[in-house]
Amino acid sequence: MPKPVVDLDLCEGCGTCEEMCPEVFKVGDDGKVQIIGPDKCNTCNCQEAADTCPVQAITIE
Ligand code: SF4
């Protein structure tokens, strides 16, 4: 099953991925995204979130 991985050194906490896949991504108080539902990728569109991330911080493995 595909799983999203975020490079926290790159993430700027813009929230785009959370908007697209709120079951998977959540921006924390530290301004970095957290993966809250790594196994939910098949219910949303994580690949599109990965493609849309402005700093290419998301990869699907
Ligand atoms: S879209 Fe990219 S930069 Fe924005 S919160 Fe998600 S991982 Fe971070």
Side-chain angles (χ1 to χ4, degrees), residues 6 10-18 27 33 49 53-55 57-58:
V6 175
L10 294 175
C11 174
E12 336 184 289
C14 69
T16 301
C17 56
E18 183 179 343
V27 178
V33 84
C53 172
V55 293
I58 304 171

Side-chain angles (χ1 to χ4, degrees), residues 2-58:
K3 280 199 166 97
V5 177
V6 175
D7 184 337
L8 293 178
D9 289 336
L10 294 175
C11 174
E12 336 184 289
C14 69
T16 301
C17 56
E18 183 179 343
E19 266 174 47
M20 299 181 86
C21 308
E23 293 181 339
V24 174
F25 302 105
K26 179 160 187 43
V27 178
D29 293 338
D30 59 357
K32 300 284 182 181
V33 84
Q34 298 165 357
I35 309 260
I36 56 169
D39 54 350
K40 298 270 169 54
C41 240
N42 52 346
T43 65
C44 65
N45 200 346
C46 277
Q47 184 59 56
E48 197 174 340
D51 292 344
T52 308
C53 172
V55 293
Q56 283 96 48
I58 304 171

